[in-house]
Amino acid sequence: MGGGGSTRRVTFEADENENITVVKGVRLSDSVIDRMKEPSSPSGRQHRGSGAVNDEELKKRIAEELALERARRDSEAQKRRLKEQMYVRDEFGKLLERERISSNEHLTRAILRERAATEEERQKAQRL
């Protein structure tokens, strides 16, 4: 799924008043946007007058949020793979158990046939 090898271009632009940074080429979830709207610290409000600092902070925050989203997706994918692996392992375990039971039944039948044949030969030997 959208791994780290992406070649997608991301551009940052400021509006005419330099109050808003426009980020093109990035898809963000609602939770990411909500977290970005929250102030990260009380000092974050003091830098509102300086446009360059705001842009840098916003770029850093977007990069952090993208990294968090990517880590969350990777974690979910890893959990899915682990569940699939556990399912396959359980199915192999069930299959091996059925094979073991079947082998034991065949072995038991073979032993009983041998005992019967041995007993039959012993009785023949006694008669002669």
Side-chain angles (χ1 to χ4, degrees), residues 60-88:
K60 182 180 175 186
R61 199 157 185 192
I62 289 171
E64 290 171 355
E65 293 296 333
L66 288 172
L68 285 172
E69 281 291 315
R70 186 174 297 122
R72 184 188 59 76
R73 280 194 313 267
D74 291 347
S75 174
E76 289 173 359
Q78 192 173 22
K79 286 179 187 176
R80 276 194 306 274
R81 283 192 301 271
L82 182 59
K83 283 182 183 179
E84 290 170 0
Q85 288 173 351
M86 289 174 60
Y87 174 77
V88 168

Short mmCIF file of all heavy atoms in Angstrom, two decimals, residues 60-88:
data_model
loop_
_atom_site.label_atom_id
_atom_site.label_comp_id
_atom_site.label_asym_id
_atom_site.label_seq_id
_atom_site.Cartn_x
_atom_site.Cartn_y
_atom_site.Cartn_z
N LYS A 60 6.66 21.33 9.10
CA LYS A 60 7.14 20.32 10.04
C LYS A 60 5.98 19.51 10.60
O LYS A 60 6.04 18.29 10.69
CB LYS A 60 7.91 21.00 11.17
CG LYS A 60 8.49 20.05 12.17
CD LYS A 60 9.23 20.79 13.26
CE LYS A 60 9.71 19.82 14.33
NZ LYS A 60 10.32 20.50 15.46
N ARG A 61 4.92 20.20 10.93
CA ARG A 61 3.74 19.53 11.50
C ARG A 61 3.10 18.58 10.48
O ARG A 61 2.70 17.47 10.81
CB ARG A 61 2.74 20.58 11.94
CG ARG A 61 1.75 20.06 12.92
CD ARG A 61 1.20 21.20 13.70
NE ARG A 61 0.33 20.66 14.72
CZ ARG A 61 -0.48 21.37 15.43
NH1 ARG A 61 -0.53 22.66 15.26
NH2 ARG A 61 -1.24 20.82 16.34
N ILE A 62 3.01 19.05 9.23
CA ILE A 62 2.45 18.19 8.18
C ILE A 62 3.32 16.95 7.99
O ILE A 62 2.82 15.83 7.88
CB ILE A 62 2.31 18.98 6.86
CG1 ILE A 62 1.18 20.00 6.98
CG2 ILE A 62 2.06 18.04 5.68
CD1 ILE A 62 1.10 20.97 5.84
N ALA A 63 4.63 17.14 7.97
CA ALA A 63 5.54 16.01 7.81
C ALA A 63 5.38 15.03 8.98
O ALA A 63 5.36 13.81 8.77
CB ALA A 63 6.98 16.50 7.73
N GLU A 64 5.25 15.55 10.19
CA GLU A 64 5.05 14.69 11.36
C GLU A 64 3.74 13.92 11.26
O GLU A 64 3.68 12.72 11.54
CB GLU A 64 5.07 15.51 12.64
CG GLU A 64 6.44 16.06 13.01
CD GLU A 64 6.39 17.05 14.16
OE1 GLU A 64 5.28 17.40 14.63
OE2 GLU A 64 7.48 17.48 14.59
N GLU A 65 2.68 14.62 10.86
CA GLU A 65 1.37 13.97 10.75
C GLU A 65 1.38 12.91 9.64
O GLU A 65 0.80 11.84 9.80
CB GLU A 65 0.27 15.01 10.48
CG GLU A 65 0.03 15.95 11.63
CD GLU A 65 -0.48 15.27 12.88
OE1 GLU A 65 -1.13 14.21 12.78
OE2 GLU A 65 -0.23 15.80 13.97
N LEU A 66 2.05 13.22 8.54
CA LEU A 66 2.15 12.22 7.47
C LEU A 66 2.92 10.99 7.95
O LEU A 66 2.55 9.85 7.64
CB LEU A 66 2.84 12.82 6.24
CG LEU A 66 2.02 13.83 5.45
CD1 LEU A 66 2.88 14.49 4.38
CD2 LEU A 66 0.80 13.18 4.83
N ALA A 67 3.99 11.22 8.71
CA ALA A 67 4.77 10.10 9.24
C ALA A 67 3.92 9.28 10.20
O ALA A 67 3.97 8.04 10.19
CB ALA A 67 6.02 10.62 9.94
N LEU A 68 3.11 9.95 11.03
CA LEU A 68 2.23 9.23 11.97
C LEU A 68 1.19 8.41 11.21
O LEU A 68 0.93 7.25 11.56
CB LEU A 68 1.53 10.21 12.91
CG LEU A 68 2.38 10.81 14.02
CD1 LEU A 68 1.61 11.90 14.75
CD2 LEU A 68 2.82 9.73 14.99
N GLU A 69 0.60 8.99 10.17
CA GLU A 69 -0.39 8.27 9.37
C GLU A 69 0.24 7.06 8.70
O GLU A 69 -0.33 5.97 8.67
CB GLU A 69 -1.01 9.20 8.31
CG GLU A 69 -2.07 10.10 8.85
CD GLU A 69 -3.32 9.37 9.26
OE1 GLU A 69 -3.81 8.49 8.52
OE2 GLU A 69 -3.81 9.67 10.35
N ARG A 70 1.44 7.25 8.15
CA ARG A 70 2.14 6.15 7.48
C ARG A 70 2.46 5.04 8.48
O ARG A 70 2.28 3.86 8.20
CB ARG A 70 3.43 6.66 6.83
CG ARG A 70 4.13 5.60 5.99
CD ARG A 70 5.32 6.16 5.24
NE ARG A 70 4.91 7.17 4.29
CZ ARG A 70 5.35 8.42 4.28
NH1 ARG A 70 6.23 8.82 5.16
NH2 ARG A 70 4.93 9.28 3.38
N ALA A 71 2.90 5.43 9.67
CA ALA A 71 3.21 4.44 10.71
C ALA A 71 1.96 3.69 11.13
O ALA A 71 2.00 2.48 11.33
CB ALA A 71 3.86 5.12 11.91
N ARG A 72 0.84 4.40 11.24
CA ARG A 72 -0.42 3.76 11.61
C ARG A 72 -0.85 2.75 10.53
O ARG A 72 -1.22 1.62 10.83
CB ARG A 72 -1.51 4.81 11.82
CG ARG A 72 -2.84 4.23 12.31
CD ARG A 72 -3.95 5.26 12.32
NE ARG A 72 -4.21 5.83 11.01
CZ ARG A 72 -4.86 5.23 10.03
NH1 ARG A 72 -5.30 4.00 10.18
NH2 ARG A 72 -5.06 5.83 8.88
N ARG A 73 -0.75 3.17 9.26
CA ARG A 73 -1.11 2.25 8.17
C ARG A 73 -0.20 1.04 8.14
O ARG A 73 -0.66 -0.10 7.96
CB ARG A 73 -1.05 2.98 6.82
CG ARG A 73 -2.24 3.83 6.51
CD ARG A 73 -2.27 4.24 5.04
NE ARG A 73 -1.01 4.74 4.54
CZ ARG A 73 -0.64 6.01 4.52
NH1 ARG A 73 -1.45 6.93 4.99
NH2 ARG A 73 0.54 6.36 4.04
N ASP A 74 1.10 1.27 8.33
CA ASP A 74 2.05 0.16 8.35
C ASP A 74 1.75 -0.79 9.51
O ASP A 74 1.83 -2.00 9.37
CB ASP A 74 3.49 0.68 8.46
CG ASP A 74 3.94 1.39 7.20
OD1 ASP A 74 3.25 1.28 6.16
OD2 ASP A 74 4.99 2.07 7.26
N SER A 75 1.40 -0.22 10.65
CA SER A 75 1.08 -1.03 11.83
C SER A 75 -0.16 -1.88 11.57
O SER A 75 -0.20 -3.07 11.89
CB SER A 75 0.87 -0.12 13.04
OG SER A 75 0.43 -0.86 14.14
N GLU A 76 -1.18 -1.26 10.97
CA GLU A 76 -2.40 -2.01 10.65
C GLU A 76 -2.13 -3.11 9.64
O GLU A 76 -2.64 -4.22 9.77
CB GLU A 76 -3.48 -1.06 10.14
CG GLU A 76 -4.05 -0.16 11.22
CD GLU A 76 -4.99 0.89 10.68
OE1 GLU A 76 -5.19 0.95 9.44
OE2 GLU A 76 -5.54 1.65 11.49
N ALA A 77 -1.31 -2.82 8.64
CA ALA A 77 -0.96 -3.84 7.65
C ALA A 77 -0.19 -4.97 8.30
O ALA A 77 -0.42 -6.15 7.99
CB ALA A 77 -0.14 -3.21 6.51
N GLN A 78 0.70 -4.63 9.21
CA GLN A 78 1.48 -5.65 9.91
C GLN A 78 0.56 -6.53 10.77
O GLN A 78 0.71 -7.75 10.83
CB GLN A 78 2.54 -4.99 10.77
CG GLN A 78 3.57 -5.93 11.32
CD GLN A 78 4.69 -5.18 12.02
OE1 GLN A 78 4.53 -4.05 12.44
NE2 GLN A 78 5.83 -5.83 12.14
N LYS A 79 -0.43 -5.92 11.42
CA LYS A 79 -1.39 -6.69 12.22
C LYS A 79 -2.18 -7.64 11.33
O LYS A 79 -2.41 -8.80 11.70
CB LYS A 79 -2.34 -5.75 12.96
CG LYS A 79 -1.73 -5.05 14.13
CD LYS A 79 -2.73 -4.10 14.78
CE LYS A 79 -2.09 -3.26 15.85
NZ LYS A 79 -3.04 -2.29 16.41
N ARG A 80 -2.59 -7.15 10.16
CA ARG A 80 -3.33 -8.02 9.23
C ARG A 80 -2.48 -9.20 8.79
O ARG A 80 -2.94 -10.35 8.75
CB ARG A 80 -3.79 -7.23 8.01
CG ARG A 80 -5.08 -6.48 8.20
CD ARG A 80 -5.64 -6.00 6.87
NE ARG A 80 -4.70 -5.22 6.09
CZ ARG A 80 -4.50 -3.91 6.21
NH1 ARG A 80 -5.19 -3.23 7.09
NH2 ARG A 80 -3.62 -3.28 5.46
N ARG A 81 -1.20 -8.92 8.45
CA ARG A 81 -0.31 -10.02 8.03
C ARG A 81 -0.11 -11.02 9.16
O ARG A 81 -0.10 -12.23 8.93
CB ARG A 81 1.04 -9.45 7.59
CG ARG A 81 1.02 -8.84 6.21
CD ARG A 81 2.43 -8.55 5.69
NE ARG A 81 3.17 -7.66 6.54
CZ ARG A 81 3.18 -6.33 6.46
NH1 ARG A 81 2.43 -5.74 5.55
NH2 ARG A 81 3.91 -5.60 7.28
N LEU A 82 0.02 -10.52 10.39
CA LEU A 82 0.20 -11.41 11.53
C LEU A 82 -1.02 -12.29 11.73
O LEU A 82 -0.90 -13.49 11.97
CB LEU A 82 0.49 -10.59 12.79
CG LEU A 82 0.75 -11.38 14.07
CD1 LEU A 82 1.95 -12.30 13.89
CD2 LEU A 82 0.97 -10.44 15.23
N LYS A 83 -2.22 -11.70 11.62
CA LYS A 83 -3.46 -12.49 11.75
C LYS A 83 -3.53 -13.55 10.66
O LYS A 83 -3.91 -14.69 10.93
CB LYS A 83 -4.68 -11.57 11.67
CG LYS A 83 -4.94 -10.81 12.93
CD LYS A 83 -6.19 -9.97 12.80
CE LYS A 83 -6.42 -9.14 14.06
NZ LYS A 83 -7.63 -8.31 13.93
N GLU A 84 -3.16 -13.18 9.42
CA GLU A 84 -3.17 -14.14 8.33
C GLU A 84 -2.18 -15.27 8.58
O GLU A 84 -2.49 -16.44 8.36
CB GLU A 84 -2.85 -13.45 7.01
CG GLU A 84 -3.94 -12.53 6.51
CD GLU A 84 -3.51 -11.67 5.35
OE1 GLU A 84 -2.34 -11.77 4.90
OE2 GLU A 84 -4.34 -10.88 4.88
N GLN A 85 -1.00 -14.92 9.07
CA GLN A 85 0.01 -15.94 9.37
C GLN A 85 -0.47 -16.87 10.48
O GLN A 85 -0.26 -18.08 10.42
CB GLN A 85 1.33 -15.29 9.77
CG GLN A 85 2.05 -14.64 8.61
CD GLN A 85 3.26 -13.84 9.05
OE1 GLN A 85 3.49 -13.64 10.24
NE2 GLN A 85 4.04 -13.38 8.10
N MET A 86 -1.12 -16.30 11.50
CA MET A 86 -1.63 -17.13 12.59
C MET A 86 -2.73 -18.07 12.08
O MET A 86 -2.78 -19.23 12.47
CB MET A 86 -2.14 -16.24 13.72
CG MET A 86 -1.03 -15.53 14.48
SD MET A 86 -1.62 -14.34 15.69
CE MET A 86 -2.57 -15.37 16.78
N TYR A 87 -3.58 -17.56 11.20
CA TYR A 87 -4.64 -18.39 10.62
C TYR A 87 -4.03 -19.55 9.84
O TYR A 87 -4.45 -20.70 10.00
CB TYR A 87 -5.54 -17.54 9.72
CG TYR A 87 -6.57 -18.34 8.99
CD1 TYR A 87 -7.71 -18.79 9.64
CD2 TYR A 87 -6.40 -18.67 7.66
CE1 TYR A 87 -8.65 -19.55 8.97
CE2 TYR A 87 -7.33 -19.42 6.98
CZ TYR A 87 -8.45 -19.86 7.64
OH TYR A 87 -9.39 -20.61 6.98
N VAL A 88 -3.04 -19.24 8.99
CA VAL A 88 -2.40 -20.29 8.19
C VAL A 88 -1.74 -21.32 9.10
O VAL A 88 -1.85 -22.53 8.88
CB VAL A 88 -1.38 -19.67 7.21
CG1 VAL A 88 -0.51 -20.72 6.58
CG2 VAL A 88 -2.11 -18.86 6.14
#
